[in-house]
Amino acid sequence: AALPLDVRKRLNKSARIIHMKKGNQMFGPMNIPDSLFFLYDGRIRISQTSDAGREIVLYRVDAGESCVLTTACMMAEEAYNAEGVAETDVTVVVLPKPAFDRLSAEEDTFRSFVFAAYSRRLIDMLRVVDDVAFNHIDVRLAERLLMLGDGLKEVRATHQDLASELGTAREVISRV
């Protein structure tokens, strides 16, 4: 909405809209993206799984945002090293790479939008690394439970869900 009308018109000419159901994989490891997507409605969880099978949630993409991992992989022409799964039904505006490249090269407002989103998410990712590396698990777990509770009397999450969110093992969550 913040983009000038002429830029939005160019986006509309090149973009297409897709709908995906909750639980569908949006992208996965080893796929090289050929399009950038902007989430119009819903929520996508971006996570990475180690060779040993442990998962950590890196971030979430909410309506009005784009996936910076997709941006990075598309610009570098490299495969994803993470997975994106729809946490809700989603509506996505998909912009093919050639249109993305043209708009990035020709439209300052579009390029600024993309890189502002990229820098915000990079800062978020550094917070995840900081939390995992330097904060005690009991404090991180308490903060996560309070956030999930959000005034509710009961939190519905498995120990494995919490472990994935916090980048630790299920056994650690059970023990804490």
Side-chain angles (χ1 to χ4, degrees):
L3 294 173
L5 184 59
D6 61 324
V7 176
R8 282 187 276 155
K9 284 181 180 177
R10 288 184 67 187
L11 278 169
N12 285 333
K13 285 182 183 177
S14 303
R16 67 185 196 286
I17 296 176
I18 62 169
H19 304 279
M20 297 191 82
K21 295 288 184 190
K22 176 181 178 177
N24 284 3
Q25 185 183 58
M26 304 290 297
F27 59 82
M30 307 317 296
N31 300 123
I32 298 175
D34 61 358
S35 300
L36 182 66
F37 62 83
F38 301 97
L39 191 56
Y40 181 76
D41 188 40
R43 175 179 256 194
I44 301 168
R45 182 186 73 247
I46 313 302
S47 62
Q48 190 171 23
T49 304
S50 73
D51 291 338
R54 279 195 24 208
E55 178 187 31
I56 183 169
V57 175
L58 301 173
Y59 61 91
R60 286 180 168 78
V61 179
D62 290 309
E65 298 176 343
S66 63
C67 178
V68 296
L69 181 59
T70 299
T71 306
C73 291
M74 193 173 69
M75 289 181 359
E77 297 182 356
E78 291 191 15
Y80 290 105
N81 61 351
E83 161 180 69
V85 175
E87 283 193 322
T88 65
D89 289 350
V90 297
T91 302
V92 180
V93 178
V94 179
L95 183 65
K97 185 177 183 334
F100 169 82
D101 289 342
R102 275 192 310 279
L103 281 165
S104 295
E106 299 168 5
E107 297 291 345
D108 292 338
T109 51
F110 180 77
R111 188 173 47 255
S112 294
F113 167 79
V114 169
F115 284 108
Y118 194 83
S119 60
R120 279 191 308 272
R121 189 61 71 194
L122 180 59
I123 290 167
D124 290 346
M125 298 261 304
L126 290 173
R127 283 189 193 119
V128 169
V129 170
D130 185 63
D131 277 350
V132 170
F134 303 116
N135 290 338
H136 294 283
I137 189 64
D138 56 344
V139 174
R140 293 174 42 225
L141 178 59
E143 288 173 346
R144 185 69 187 156
L145 288 169
L146 287 170
M147 190 197 83
L148 288 170
D150 195 28
L152 301 173
K153 292 182 181 178
E154 183 177 320
V155 172
R156 293 200 176 269
T158 67
H159 287 195
Q160 184 59 56
D161 292 340
L162 293 167
S164 295
E165 291 287 332
L166 298 173
T168 190
R170 182 199 51 76
E171 295 82 2
V172 172
I173 296 299
S174 297
R175 189 170 47 251
V176 173

PDB file of all heavy atoms in Angstrom, residues 4 6-7 10 102-113:
ATOM      1  N   PRO A   4       4.072   3.667  -4.610  1.00  0.00           N
ATOM      2  CA  PRO A   4       3.341   4.562  -5.515  1.00  0.00           C
ATOM      3  C   PRO A   4       2.440   3.777  -6.470  1.00  0.00           C
ATOM      4  O   PRO A   4       2.723   2.614  -6.791  1.00  0.00           O
ATOM      5  CB  PRO A   4       4.451   5.276  -6.283  1.00  0.00           C
ATOM      6  CG  PRO A   4       5.668   5.145  -5.432  1.00  0.00           C
ATOM      7  CD  PRO A   4       5.513   3.847  -4.690  1.00  0.00           C
ATOM      8  N   ASP A   6       1.970   3.853  -9.688  1.00  0.00           N
ATOM      9  CA  ASP A   6       2.568   3.304 -10.903  1.00  0.00           C
ATOM     10  C   ASP A   6       3.369   2.029 -10.623  1.00  0.00           C
ATOM     11  O   ASP A   6       3.376   1.098 -11.426  1.00  0.00           O
ATOM     12  CB  ASP A   6       3.436   4.352 -11.619  1.00  0.00           C
ATOM     13  CG  ASP A   6       4.591   4.858 -10.774  1.00  0.00           C
ATOM     14  OD1 ASP A   6       4.420   5.006  -9.544  1.00  0.00           O
ATOM     15  OD2 ASP A   6       5.677   5.094 -11.350  1.00  0.00           O
ATOM     16  N   VAL A   7       4.006   1.946  -9.462  1.00  0.00           N
ATOM     17  CA  VAL A   7       4.750   0.737  -9.097  1.00  0.00           C
ATOM     18  C   VAL A   7       3.778  -0.401  -8.812  1.00  0.00           C
ATOM     19  O   VAL A   7       3.985  -1.538  -9.238  1.00  0.00           O
ATOM     20  CB  VAL A   7       5.668   0.989  -7.876  1.00  0.00           C
ATOM     21  CG1 VAL A   7       6.370  -0.289  -7.449  1.00  0.00           C
ATOM     22  CG2 VAL A   7       6.691   2.075  -8.207  1.00  0.00           C
ATOM     23  N   ARG A  10       2.580  -1.847 -12.049  1.00  0.00           N
ATOM     24  CA  ARG A  10       3.581  -2.739 -12.645  1.00  0.00           C
ATOM     25  C   ARG A  10       3.591  -4.088 -11.929  1.00  0.00           C
ATOM     26  O   ARG A  10       3.718  -5.131 -12.571  1.00  0.00           O
ATOM     27  CB  ARG A  10       4.971  -2.104 -12.585  1.00  0.00           C
ATOM     28  CG  ARG A  10       5.112  -0.934 -13.571  1.00  0.00           C
ATOM     29  CD  ARG A  10       6.506  -0.381 -13.568  1.00  0.00           C
ATOM     30  NE  ARG A  10       7.456  -1.356 -14.103  1.00  0.00           N
ATOM     31  CZ  ARG A  10       8.758  -1.176 -14.092  1.00  0.00           C
ATOM     32  NH1 ARG A  10       9.287  -0.100 -13.557  1.00  0.00           N
ATOM     33  NH2 ARG A  10       9.563  -2.101 -14.590  1.00  0.00           N
ATOM     34  N   ARG A 102      13.609  -6.470 -12.685  1.00  0.00           N
ATOM     35  CA  ARG A 102      13.331  -5.191 -13.350  1.00  0.00           C
ATOM     36  C   ARG A 102      12.891  -4.127 -12.348  1.00  0.00           C
ATOM     37  O   ARG A 102      13.401  -3.006 -12.355  1.00  0.00           O
ATOM     38  CB  ARG A 102      12.242  -5.373 -14.413  1.00  0.00           C
ATOM     39  CG  ARG A 102      12.745  -5.837 -15.751  1.00  0.00           C
ATOM     40  CD  ARG A 102      11.689  -5.711 -16.844  1.00  0.00           C
ATOM     41  NE  ARG A 102      10.400  -6.276 -16.502  1.00  0.00           N
ATOM     42  CZ  ARG A 102      10.084  -7.566 -16.569  1.00  0.00           C
ATOM     43  NH1 ARG A 102      10.979  -8.445 -16.970  1.00  0.00           N
ATOM     44  NH2 ARG A 102       8.883  -7.990 -16.246  1.00  0.00           N
ATOM     45  N   LEU A 103      11.942  -4.500 -11.485  1.00  0.00           N
ATOM     46  CA  LEU A 103      11.447  -3.530 -10.508  1.00  0.00           C
ATOM     47  C   LEU A 103      12.553  -3.101  -9.537  1.00  0.00           C
ATOM     48  O   LEU A 103      12.652  -1.922  -9.182  1.00  0.00           O
ATOM     49  CB  LEU A 103      10.256  -4.096  -9.735  1.00  0.00           C
ATOM     50  CG  LEU A 103       8.930  -4.044 -10.476  1.00  0.00           C
ATOM     51  CD1 LEU A 103       7.902  -4.951  -9.804  1.00  0.00           C
ATOM     52  CD2 LEU A 103       8.410  -2.619 -10.530  1.00  0.00           C
ATOM     53  N   SER A 104      13.382  -4.025  -9.130  1.00  0.00           N
ATOM     54  CA  SER A 104      14.487  -3.689  -8.218  1.00  0.00           C
ATOM     55  C   SER A 104      15.469  -2.730  -8.874  1.00  0.00           C
ATOM     56  O   SER A 104      15.995  -1.831  -8.220  1.00  0.00           O
ATOM     57  CB  SER A 104      15.238  -4.944  -7.787  1.00  0.00           C
ATOM     58  OG  SER A 104      14.417  -5.772  -7.021  1.00  0.00           O
ATOM     59  N   ALA A 105      15.722  -2.934 -10.150  1.00  0.00           N
ATOM     60  CA  ALA A 105      16.676  -2.091 -10.868  1.00  0.00           C
ATOM     61  C   ALA A 105      16.105  -0.716 -11.202  1.00  0.00           C
ATOM     62  O   ALA A 105      16.834   0.277 -11.189  1.00  0.00           O
ATOM     63  CB  ALA A 105      17.113  -2.797 -12.150  1.00  0.00           C
ATOM     64  N   GLU A 106      14.804  -0.649 -11.466  1.00  0.00           N
ATOM     65  CA  GLU A 106      14.213   0.583 -11.994  1.00  0.00           C
ATOM     66  C   GLU A 106      13.428   1.414 -10.985  1.00  0.00           C
ATOM     67  O   GLU A 106      13.232   2.607 -11.201  1.00  0.00           O
ATOM     68  CB  GLU A 106      13.285   0.227 -13.162  1.00  0.00           C
ATOM     69  CG  GLU A 106      14.002  -0.441 -14.317  1.00  0.00           C
ATOM     70  CD  GLU A 106      13.047  -1.046 -15.341  1.00  0.00           C
ATOM     71  OE1 GLU A 106      11.819  -0.872 -15.201  1.00  0.00           O
ATOM     72  OE2 GLU A 106      13.540  -1.714 -16.271  1.00  0.00           O
ATOM     73  N   GLU A 107      12.964   0.801  -9.923  1.00  0.00           N
ATOM     74  CA  GLU A 107      12.071   1.507  -8.995  1.00  0.00           C
ATOM     75  C   GLU A 107      12.684   1.616  -7.598  1.00  0.00           C
ATOM     76  O   GLU A 107      12.783   0.634  -6.871  1.00  0.00           O
ATOM     77  CB  GLU A 107      10.719   0.782  -8.899  1.00  0.00           C
ATOM     78  CG  GLU A 107       9.944   0.730 -10.189  1.00  0.00           C
ATOM     79  CD  GLU A 107       9.424   2.093 -10.616  1.00  0.00           C
ATOM     80  OE1 GLU A 107       9.411   3.043  -9.789  1.00  0.00           O
ATOM     81  OE2 GLU A 107       9.026   2.222 -11.783  1.00  0.00           O
ATOM     82  N   ASP A 108      13.113   2.834  -7.254  1.00  0.00           N
ATOM     83  CA  ASP A 108      13.724   3.064  -5.941  1.00  0.00           C
ATOM     84  C   ASP A 108      12.800   2.671  -4.796  1.00  0.00           C
ATOM     85  O   ASP A 108      13.250   2.087  -3.806  1.00  0.00           O
ATOM     86  CB  ASP A 108      14.117   4.530  -5.775  1.00  0.00           C
ATOM     87  CG  ASP A 108      15.256   4.931  -6.697  1.00  0.00           C
ATOM     88  OD1 ASP A 108      16.005   4.045  -7.150  1.00  0.00           O
ATOM     89  OD2 ASP A 108      15.393   6.144  -6.956  1.00  0.00           O
ATOM     90  N   THR A 109      11.508   2.963  -4.903  1.00  0.00           N
ATOM     91  CA  THR A 109      10.587   2.679  -3.806  1.00  0.00           C
ATOM     92  C   THR A 109      10.434   1.175  -3.594  1.00  0.00           C
ATOM     93  O   THR A 109      10.374   0.709  -2.467  1.00  0.00           O
ATOM     94  CB  THR A 109       9.200   3.306  -4.046  1.00  0.00           C
ATOM     95  OG1 THR A 109       8.741   2.935  -5.346  1.00  0.00           O
ATOM     96  CG2 THR A 109       9.256   4.817  -3.944  1.00  0.00           C
ATOM     97  N   PHE A 110      10.390   0.427  -4.687  1.00  0.00           N
ATOM     98  CA  PHE A 110      10.290  -1.026  -4.569  1.00  0.00           C
ATOM     99  C   PHE A 110      11.559  -1.600  -3.949  1.00  0.00           C
ATOM    100  O   PHE A 110      11.510  -2.418  -3.033  1.00  0.00           O
ATOM    101  CB  PHE A 110      10.032  -1.655  -5.945  1.00  0.00           C
ATOM    102  CG  PHE A 110       9.924  -3.156  -5.903  1.00  0.00           C
ATOM    103  CD1 PHE A 110       8.764  -3.762  -5.440  1.00  0.00           C
ATOM    104  CD2 PHE A 110      10.986  -3.959  -6.292  1.00  0.00           C
ATOM    105  CE1 PHE A 110       8.661  -5.152  -5.385  1.00  0.00           C
ATOM    106  CE2 PHE A 110      10.889  -5.342  -6.241  1.00  0.00           C
ATOM    107  CZ  PHE A 110       9.725  -5.942  -5.782  1.00  0.00           C
ATOM    108  N   ARG A 111      12.715  -1.165  -4.453  1.00  0.00           N
ATOM    109  CA  ARG A 111      13.994  -1.638  -3.919  1.00  0.00           C
ATOM    110  C   ARG A 111      14.112  -1.294  -2.426  1.00  0.00           C
ATOM    111  O   ARG A 111      14.534  -2.138  -1.627  1.00  0.00           O
ATOM    112  CB  ARG A 111      15.150  -1.020  -4.712  1.00  0.00           C
ATOM    113  CG  ARG A 111      16.505  -1.574  -4.370  1.00  0.00           C
ATOM    114  CD  ARG A 111      17.620  -1.073  -5.290  1.00  0.00           C
ATOM    115  NE  ARG A 111      17.599   0.360  -5.515  1.00  0.00           N
ATOM    116  CZ  ARG A 111      17.181   0.942  -6.654  1.00  0.00           C
ATOM    117  NH1 ARG A 111      16.765   0.224  -7.667  1.00  0.00           N
ATOM    118  NH2 ARG A 111      17.200   2.249  -6.771  1.00  0.00           N
ATOM    119  N   SER A 112      13.704  -0.118  -2.037  1.00  0.00           N
ATOM    120  CA  SER A 112      13.742   0.282  -0.622  1.00  0.00           C
ATOM    121  C   SER A 112      12.830  -0.593   0.219  1.00  0.00           C
ATOM    122  O   SER A 112      13.189  -0.992   1.332  1.00  0.00           O
ATOM    123  CB  SER A 112      13.337   1.749  -0.469  1.00  0.00           C
ATOM    124  OG  SER A 112      14.286   2.579  -1.070  1.00  0.00           O
ATOM    125  N   PHE A 113      11.643  -0.915  -0.309  1.00  0.00           N
ATOM    126  CA  PHE A 113      10.707  -1.796   0.399  1.00  0.00           C
ATOM    127  C   PHE A 113      11.336  -3.164   0.640  1.00  0.00           C
ATOM    128  O   PHE A 113      11.301  -3.698   1.745  1.00  0.00           O
ATOM    129  CB  PHE A 113       9.410  -1.933  -0.409  1.00  0.00           C
ATOM    130  CG  PHE A 113       8.513  -3.041   0.073  1.00  0.00           C
ATOM    131  CD1 PHE A 113       7.711  -2.860   1.188  1.00  0.00           C
ATOM    132  CD2 PHE A 113       8.481  -4.271  -0.579  1.00  0.00           C
ATOM    133  CE1 PHE A 113       6.889  -3.885   1.644  1.00  0.00           C
ATOM    134  CE2 PHE A 113       7.665  -5.294  -0.130  1.00  0.00           C
ATOM    135  CZ  PHE A 113       6.866  -5.095   0.989  1.00  0.00           C
TER     136      PHE A 113
END
